[in-house]
């Protein structure tokens, strides 16, 4: 938990994939303190949906108007809820409402006027510690999670390749969160685009979150791609959270640290090509060196020819001590480890459901 976070400290935390609870995150932003009632008043014609409503709403259409305020106090179970609570007694008992601003191009979110107004509000809600260049990405990835006490999002892994910031505008949320699970040797690897950790599946697999904490009004959670997370609204009344992703900085150091896990989980398949590109310096189609000696030789050759022209993301991938400079020793060490990891990943059997270590 941190307070008065500087630009530099936020940048370093995001690059490395740290999980932070940031106090006073909404100070000075356009939507600080907005309640469910305020959202309904300001956007009465906007449309959202209740989550986990697969029987009544199998196509996830936005069927609820924010202005019809019965939703503010609504507590309804989602599909499969009893099963999820048997698997994990701490799972949220009721389904939240979801206003997916990120889906604005689908046409059923609200009028053009609604979309443009929420765009401006979100772009005026860039926290003080964040680079304002993120304004557009904050809008393009924005989701509002809304609901009464007891509602919340089941444990799941998103397929985003950029970091997430979730700000509680009003109310209070309990979070449980943990990293991409370990993948033991022989546990297999996902098919491309295979979703492993869909809503609630982590409970069935015996998920044990690394962190549990409460996020109060005005506070935010920062976390990197691939972390399994669950939310539970615990305040009396209705809670509003704005959850979104941002482009700058890219968590490249985190990808280096968790490379083996991420490369074996299909949920994060959209990120694999970028990871390989950073490590290979863009030479995606080259054959991997056959052994460690060949990898070290190839690394030394690449360092001599390419070190002066590393892109910022490639530099982050290879800069082990984060001093802004990649030494030959760093480059050879990281490259050799990357080759060994890629070879190990490719030896794993492709399966629909790998066997992760959820401890």
């Amino acid at each position: 938990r941190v307070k008065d976070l500087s630009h530099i400290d936020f940048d370093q935390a995001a690059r490395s994939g740290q999980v932070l609870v940031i106090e006073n995150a909404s100070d000075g932003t356009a939507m600080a303190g907005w309640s469910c009632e305020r959202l309904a008043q300001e956007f009465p014609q906007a449309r959202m949906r209740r989550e986990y409503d697969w029987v009544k709403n199998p196509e996830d259409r936005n069927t609820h108007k924010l202005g019809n305020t019965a939703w503010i106090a609504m507590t309804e179970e989602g599909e499969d809820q009893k099963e999820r609570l048997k698997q994990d007694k701490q799972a949220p008992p009721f389904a939240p409402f979801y206003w997916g601003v990120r889906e604005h191009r689908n046409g059923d979110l609200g009028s053009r006027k609604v979309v443009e107004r929420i765009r401006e509000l979100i772009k005026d809600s860039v926290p003080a510690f964040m680079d304002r260049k993120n304004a557009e990405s904050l809008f393009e990835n924005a989701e509002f999670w809304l609901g009464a006490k007891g509602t919340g999002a089941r444990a799941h892994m998103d397929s985003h390749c950029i970091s997430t910031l979730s700000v509680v505008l009003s109310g209070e949320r309990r979070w449980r969160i943990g990293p991409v699970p370990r993948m033991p040797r022989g546990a297999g690897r996902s098919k491309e685009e295979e979703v492993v950790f869909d809503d609630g599946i982590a409970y069935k697999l015996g998920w044990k979150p690394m962190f549990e904490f409460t996020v109060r009004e005005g506070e935010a959670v920062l976390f990197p791609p691939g972390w399994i997370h669950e939310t539970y609204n615990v305040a009396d009344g209705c809670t509003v959270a704005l959850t979104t992703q941002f482009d700058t900085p890219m968590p490249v150091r985190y990808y280096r640290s968790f490379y083996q896990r991420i490369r074996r989980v299909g949920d994060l398949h959209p990120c694999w090509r970028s990871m390989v590109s950073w490590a290979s310096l863009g030479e995606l189609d080259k054959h991997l060196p056959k052994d460690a000696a060949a990898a070290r030789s190839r690394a030394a050759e690449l360092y001599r020819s390419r070190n002066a022209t590393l892109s910022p993301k490639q530099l982050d991938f290879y800069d082990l001590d984060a001093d802004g400079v990649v030494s030959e020793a760093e480059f050879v060490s990281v490259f050799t480890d990357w080759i060994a990891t890629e070879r190990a990943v490719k030896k794993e059997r492709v399966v629909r459901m790998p066997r992760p270590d959820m401890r």
Side-chain angles (χ1 to χ4, degrees), residues 1 14 28 38 41 45 119-120 139 149 154 160 191 269 273 293 299 317 320:
R1 186 178 286 271
R38 175 79 183 273
Q41 179 183 4
Q45 299 303 313
R119 178 197 294 269
E120 292 308 312
F139 165 71
K149 186 175 184 178
R154 299 169 184 169
H160 312 309
K191 298 178 182 178
H269 169 259
R273 186 174 179 84
F317 192 86
L320 283 173

Side-chain angles (χ1 to χ4, degrees), residues 67-349:
N68 297 338
T69 56
W71 63 269
I72 291 176
M74 190 178 295
T75 51
E76 292 188 15
E77 293 183 352
E79 299 298 328
D80 303 329
Q81 189 61 43
K82 289 182 173 59
E83 181 182 356
R84 298 301 181 223
L85 285 170
K86 284 181 182 178
Q87 293 163 348
D88 191 321
K89 293 185 292 186
Q90 295 191 67
F94 304 117
F97 282 88
Y98 173 84
W99 187 27
V101 173
R102 65 185 303 130
E103 301 171 355
H104 64 91
R105 290 184 177 83
N106 295 349
D108 68 342
L109 189 75
S111 66
R112 181 178 296 180
K113 183 177 180 181
V114 164
V115 172
E116 288 308 310
R117 179 142 190 260
I118 196 62
R119 178 197 294 269
E120 292 308 312
L121 284 166
I122 292 172
K123 290 175 75 171
D124 286 339
S125 295
V126 180
F129 49 77
M130 182 184 282
D131 192 325
R132 289 202 59 81
K133 288 187 296 187
N134 284 310
E136 187 63 23
S137 62
L138 291 181
F139 165 71
E140 288 293 346
N141 295 287
E143 307 168 336
F144 287 88
W145 291 87
L146 316 164
K149 186 175 184 178
T151 62
R154 299 169 184 169
H156 65 284
M157 180 187 292
D158 294 315
S159 295
H160 312 309
C161 297
I162 51 180
S163 298
T164 295
L165 189 76
S166 181
V167 185
V168 176
L169 300 179
S170 64
E172 195 168 301
R173 301 173 103 192
R174 185 201 73 188
W175 278 74
R176 295 197 297 163
I177 190 168
V180 182
R182 300 181 189 90
M183 289 289 176
R185 181 180 298 177
R189 59 185 170 108
S190 294
K191 298 178 182 178
E192 292 187 2
E193 301 182 23
E194 185 74 46
V195 174
V196 177
F197 295 103
D198 202 359
D199 293 317
I201 297 301
Y203 304 138
K204 183 179 180 180
L205 297 175
W207 180 55
K208 292 178 175 57
M210 179 177 287
F211 301 123
E212 180 176 330
F213 47 78
T214 299
V215 183
R216 298 180 290 268
E217 180 173 323
E219 297 180 340
V221 181
L222 167 72
F223 63 96
W227 277 57
I228 298 172
H229 55 286
E230 170 205 271
T231 61
Y232 189 132
N233 293 340
V234 295
D236 292 332
C238 187
T239 291
V240 180
L242 169 57
T243 299
T244 187
Q245 287 76 46
F246 55 93
D247 289 333
T248 304
M250 192 74 171
V252 177
R253 297 173 191 165
Y254 162 76
Y255 278 109
R256 181 188 66 222
S257 299
F258 281 79
Y259 193 100
Q260 189 264 9
R261 302 188 192 191
I262 294 170
R263 277 286 278 122
R264 291 172 63 185
V265 178
D267 305 62
L268 295 170
H269 169 259
C271 318
W272 292 353
R273 186 174 179 84
S274 292
M275 294 164 61
V276 174
S277 179
W278 301 327
S280 69
L281 306 190
E283 298 184 6
L284 297 171
D285 299 323
K286 292 283 188 180
H287 292 296
L288 298 179
K290 63 182 180 180
D291 54 30
R296 287 192 292 272
S297 176
R298 177 64 178 147
E301 177 187 326
L302 276 173
Y303 183 82
R304 287 191 294 271
S305 63
R306 299 288 302 279
N307 182 51
T309 60
L310 294 180
S311 72
K313 290 172 185 174
Q314 291 166 351
L315 189 149
D316 254 3
F317 192 86
Y318 280 96
D319 185 12
L320 283 173
D321 60 8
D323 67 351
V325 177
V326 176
S327 68
E328 183 169 358
E330 284 178 313
F331 191 92
V332 171
S333 174
V334 173
F335 187 87
T336 305
D337 287 348
W338 169 64
I339 292 296
T341 301
E342 276 292 319
R343 286 199 168 278
V345 167
K346 292 180 185 301
K347 287 179 181 178
E348 291 289 333
R349 188 164 57 94

